[in-house]
Amino acid sequence: MSNLYTAEASATGGRSGHARSTDGRLDLDLSVPSEIGGDGGAGTNPEQLFAAGYAACFQGALGVAARRQKIELSDDSTITARVGLQKSGLAFALDVELEGRFPGLTREQGEALMHAAHEVCPYSVATRGNVDVRLKVAE
């Protein structure tokens, strides 16, 4: 299998450093959240970056699932990703909740789309068996 696209970025200074993509489109400071003992500075953190990437990727996968099921997905549908950092023995682990809002769809349709998207989203495929990912349809 060959890559359709390859993103490349580098980080310096760890969680309180700087990250930049090779094309310069991503160029940002990183800060350690106060909740885990950091200064809570103005920069972002790896969990926020992962949440944003997962939410965007999953939203794209929802579009694929909706087309396959011949369901019209509203332009104002959203996915919110909540990424938690947990202590797991001497290591750390991630915990993810994906919450979908689907105006105009029933709860059952939303749940079916979420499960179908979870099967094809690259982030879901990558985390399967490694990260607890919960799917939820908003009230």
Side-chain angles (χ1 to χ4, degrees):
M1 201 171 3
S2 64
N3 290 339
L4 299 173
Y5 169 75
T6 300
E8 183 178 337
S10 299
T12 58
R15 286 182 163 270
S16 57
H18 191 85
R20 184 176 192 285
S21 62
T22 54
D23 64 7
R25 291 180 183 183
L26 178 80
D27 191 353
L28 45 80
D29 291 325
L30 303 168
S31 298
V32 179
S34 57
E35 294 87 346
I36 59 172
D39 65 1
T44 189
N45 59 68
E47 292 72 34
Q48 286 179 331
L49 293 169
F50 190 82
Y54 204 158
C57 189
F58 200 84
Q59 183 73 40
L62 278 165
V64 170
R67 284 189 297 281
R68 287 179 179 171
Q69 295 181 25
K70 297 184 180 7
I71 294 174
E72 189 164 335
L73 193 59
S74 170
D75 289 341
D76 57 351
S77 70
T78 60
I79 290 295
T80 300
R82 295 178 186 91
V83 176
L85 179 65
Q86 301 177 337
K87 185 85 164 125
S88 178
L90 297 176
F92 295 91
L94 297 177
D95 172 77
V96 176
E97 179 181 81
L98 299 174
E99 182 178 26
R101 295 186 189 279
F102 309 110
L105 298 184
T106 66
R107 172 177 278 306
E108 293 75 23
Q109 287 174 312
E111 288 172 351
L113 283 177
M114 293 280 289
H115 287 284
H118 195 48
E119 292 302 312
V120 298
C121 173
Y123 277 65
S124 293
V125 171
T127 59
R128 191 165 292 123
N130 299 310
V131 175
D132 181 24
V133 178
R134 292 171 312 286
L135 306 177
K136 176 181 175 184
V137 175
E139 297 293 326

